[in-house]
Amino acid sequence: MDRLTLQTDLVISGHRLVTPDGVRPGHVLVSGGRITAVTGPGPVPAAAKRLDAGDHYVLPGLIDSHVHFRTPGLTYKEDWEHGSRAAVRGGVTTVMDMPNTVPPTLDPDALSEKARMVRGRSLVDMRFHIGVDPARPWLLAEIDPSVATSAKVFMAGHHTAPTVVRDPAVLEQAFAAAAEAGLQLVLHAEDDGLFALLDGWWGEPDGYRDYERRRPRSGGIVAVAKVVELVRRHGTRAHILHLSSAEEADLVCAAQAAGYPVTFEVTGHHLSFTDQDTRRLGARTRLSPSIRSQADQDRLWRALARGQLSTLGSDHAPHTVAEKTRSAAASPPGLPGVQELAVAVWTGMRRRWPEEDPDVAVSRLVRHLAQTPAELFRLPGKGRIAPGADADLVFFAPDTPWMFSAHEVESKCGWSAYEGWTFTGRVERTLRAGRTVWDASSGTFGTYDGRLLAAAGDGPRPATLAAREGMT
C-alpha cells in the first residue's frame, strides 16, 4: 500500500464499477489524470481527495464518435463550449468531430487550424475525422496517423455536405488510398444519384407527411452494397454511419460473416423515433438518412441486443430554430443529441428488456459507447476502467426517472427533439483526467482544457505528398 499511497491523489469508491472484467465493487485509484490501480473492496490508501459513487454505476467516460460541433464557420448554431457542455452532461468525455464545416477540413493544415481554434474551449478530449476531397482522393494515402485515423466520405449531399463523392472512379480511389494508409473510412452511405433521379420525377419534398418515402431506404441499400463491394476489392476498413434500415443491417452483417472489415453505427435518434414521429414533429426529427418505420427501428434494436452494431453515435448536428422552420425543402436535416444519447439508449433498453439484468445492460452500453469506439478509432487510454487508462469516469444513477425540458438543453441551438421525454437513468457526475467536468448536484462544469488525441501506435509513413502530387 505504501507505493499506492505515494502515487494516489484521488480515490473513487463504488459498489458497481463497470470494468472490462464485469461489474464489481471496489476502488479506482488515480494519479496525474490516469488510473493507477483498480482494487477490490477494503481499505484504500490515503489520498488528497476521495469520491464515493455509492450505488451508482461508475462507467468509463463515454465516446461519441459522430458529432458536428460546427467549428469553423457555423458557430452561430453550435460551438465547442456549448457542445462540450452537452457532452459531459450526457457522460461523454471524448468526441470525434466531423469535417463538414466552412471551410471543410480536408487536409492536415485545416485540421491544425481547427485544433488551434478549439484549444481552451472544450470540456472534452477530441479527435477529428478528416474529410475526403473529391478533387484529391489520393491525399488519404498521405495522412499521418498522428493527424487523423479516419476520413469521412459523403456519398450523398445535403445542406451542410459540401464535398460529396459522386464519381464512382473517385470513390474507388478513396477506398484504395485509405487502404494504403490503414485509414478507417466513415461513410454517409446513401446514393446521391438515386435521390437526384427520384427528385427529378417527384420533385423535392414539400412536407413531412411523406418525407421518408421521398428519401427512401433504397438510397441506403444501394450505397451500402457499393461500399461492401469496394471493401471486398480493396480491403479498406469501412464504418457505415447512422445506418437506418433493416436491409442495410442485414447487408453489413452478411459482409461481416464473409470476413469483410465493415462495421456500422446506429444513432440514438434512429432508436428513439420512427417516421410517424416525423409526420408529427416535422423538422425536429428531419434527418439524413431519414428516420424509418417501426419495423426498421425494431431491427436496429435487435442489432444492439445481438452485438451486431459496433458503435452508438449521436450524429449531434444542431441547427437554429429559424433554419428548422423553413420549408421542408429548405430546412436542413439534423438535430442535437450528444447530451441525450446515453440516457435515451439506456431508457430504451430498460423499457424493451425490463427483465434483463441491469449489469448486463450497462455493460452493453459501455461496450458500444466506450470500449469499441476506442478500439475502432485507436483512441489511446480511452474506453475502459483499467490501470493505465485515462481517469475519465461517469457516475450514473440507473433508476432515476426525470423529465427532459428545454431549459436543460446545453447545445447552443437551444432545443431538443426529446423535450418532454421522461428518461430513466441520469448522469450525476462526469470526470475527465480525474477532474470533475460536470456535477449535477451543483449544476457546475469544470475547466475547458480538453486535449487533441493522437493515435495509439504509429503506422507506416506513406510516400511524401510532393511525390504523390508528381504522380497525378
Side-chain angles (χ1 to χ4, degrees):
M1 278 294 188
D2 290 340
R3 184 178 63 83
L4 293 177
T5 301
L6 292 173
Q7 291 181 337
T8 304
D9 50 47
L10 171 66
V11 173
I12 295 164
S13 302
H15 299 303
R16 296 196 279 185
L17 309 181
V18 186
T19 76
D21 300 320
V23 178
R24 61 186 178 108
H27 311 285
V28 181
L29 280 54
V30 176
S31 180
R34 286 189 164 291
I35 297 171
T36 57
V38 181
T39 69
V44 295
K49 187 174 182 180
R50 178 172 176 177
L51 293 173
D52 191 346
D55 286 330
H56 296 160
Y57 282 115
V58 180
L59 319 178
L62 305 180
I63 299 167
D64 190 344
S65 53
H66 189 171
V67 305
H68 302 262
F69 280 0
R70 303 302 194 194
T71 299
L74 299 169
T75 53
Y76 66 91
K77 51 188 164 188
E78 186 63 293
D79 56 34
W80 279 80
E81 290 95 333
H82 288 83
S84 65
R85 285 207 299 267
V88 297
R89 195 159 173 173
V92 172
T93 56
T94 300
V95 301
M96 298 188 70
D97 190 58
M98 290 295 171
N100 50 318
T101 51
V102 180
T105 47
L106 302 178
D107 56 46
D109 289 342
L111 289 179
S112 295
E113 177 60 14
K114 180 189 275 192
R116 185 194 66 77
M117 297 173 73
V118 171
R119 191 174 301 118
R121 299 178 182 274
S122 178
L123 289 164
V124 297
D125 290 341
M126 71 207 77
R127 174 79 66 72
F128 303 140
H129 299 288
I130 198 168
V132 174
D133 185 349
R136 299 181 296 167
W138 44 262
L139 183 63
L140 297 184
E142 305 299 332
I143 300 300
D144 190 303
S146 66
V147 173
T149 59
S150 54
K152 174 71 175 287
V153 180
F154 286 96
M155 295 175 68
H158 56 73
H159 299 65
T160 58
T163 54
V164 181
V165 180
R166 294 183 172 90
D167 185 338
V170 172
L171 186 63
E172 179 132 17
Q173 282 183 286
F175 270 76
E180 181 181 340
L183 203 64
Q184 177 87 48
L185 288 185
V186 297
L187 299 108
H188 182 132
E190 292 188 288
D191 191 87
D192 195 71
L194 184 148
F195 287 159
L197 188 67
L198 290 174
D199 284 347
W201 182 42
W202 278 329
E204 290 190 341
D206 57 3
Y208 293 100
R209 181 171 180 81
D210 297 315
Y211 176 73
E212 193 275 338
R213 185 171 65 90
R214 296 298 188 96
R215 286 292 178 267
R217 65 177 70 257
S218 53
I221 296 166
V222 168
V224 169
K226 289 180 179 179
V227 169
V228 169
E229 174 58 19
L230 288 167
V231 168
R232 186 191 69 80
R233 288 213 295 267
H234 298 284
T236 317
R237 293 185 300 123
H239 187 56
I240 308 295
L241 300 172
H242 42 48
L243 186 140
S244 65
S245 75
E247 291 89 346
E248 293 166 72
D250 291 344
L251 268 173
V252 177
C253 289
Q256 291 172 342
Y260 303 157
V262 57
T263 54
F264 68 97
E265 166 200 82
V266 171
T267 71
H269 310 324
H270 285 100
L271 292 171
S272 299
F273 301 101
T274 70
D275 56 350
Q276 297 304 306
D277 293 302
T278 305
R279 286 187 173 199
R280 179 173 56 88
L281 298 171
R284 275 183 179 264
T285 56
R286 176 180 177 170
L287 290 181
S288 180
S290 61
I291 291 172
R292 307 212 182 276
S293 71
Q294 185 66 60
D296 291 302
Q297 187 189 86
D298 291 344
R299 175 65 181 91
L300 299 183
W301 277 107
R302 288 197 300 275
L304 177 59
R306 297 170 181 173
Q308 293 170 336
L309 61 86
S310 288
T311 65
L312 292 161
S314 71
D315 190 9
H316 177 84
H319 301 285
T320 65
V321 170
E323 289 171 319
K324 279 293 192 177
T325 50
R326 295 173 184 166
S327 69
S331 175
L335 54 146
V338 65
Q339 183 174 345
E340 302 94 321
L341 174 59
V343 292
V345 175
W346 177 255
T347 299
M349 286 196 295
R350 302 313 294 154
R351 290 176 181 170
R352 281 182 172 253
W353 311 313
E355 304 304 318
E356 184 173 54
D357 184 338
D359 288 359
V360 173
V362 79
S363 296
R364 179 189 299 112
L365 190 75
V366 164
R367 182 162 60 253
H368 297 296
L369 259 175
Q371 179 184 335
T372 303
E375 294 169 354
L376 191 68
F377 295 108
R378 291 184 284 163
L379 298 168
K382 302 299 183 184
R384 67 194 193 282
I385 297 177
D390 292 349
D392 300 347
L393 302 161
V394 177
F395 294 6
F396 182 64
D399 302 316
T400 300
W402 60 288
M403 184 175 287
F404 189 66
S405 60
H407 81 271
E408 293 178 288
V409 174
E410 296 293 344
S411 175
K412 193 173 184 177
C413 72
W415 64 273
S416 170
Y418 294 89
E419 289 172 35
W421 275 48
T422 299
F423 288 125
T424 298
R426 190 179 182 98
V427 172
E428 299 296 341
R429 183 187 290 266
T430 304
L431 298 96
R432 178 180 48 76
R435 293 179 294 163
T436 297
V437 286
W438 164 246
D439 181 2
S441 64
S442 62
T444 57
F445 295 96
T447 304
Y448 293 81
D449 60 355
R451 62 195 175 94
L452 182 64
L453 301 174
D458 295 324
R461 184 72 180 117
T464 65
L465 179 59
R468 173 68 60 176
E469 287 175 335
M471 294 170 61
T472 61

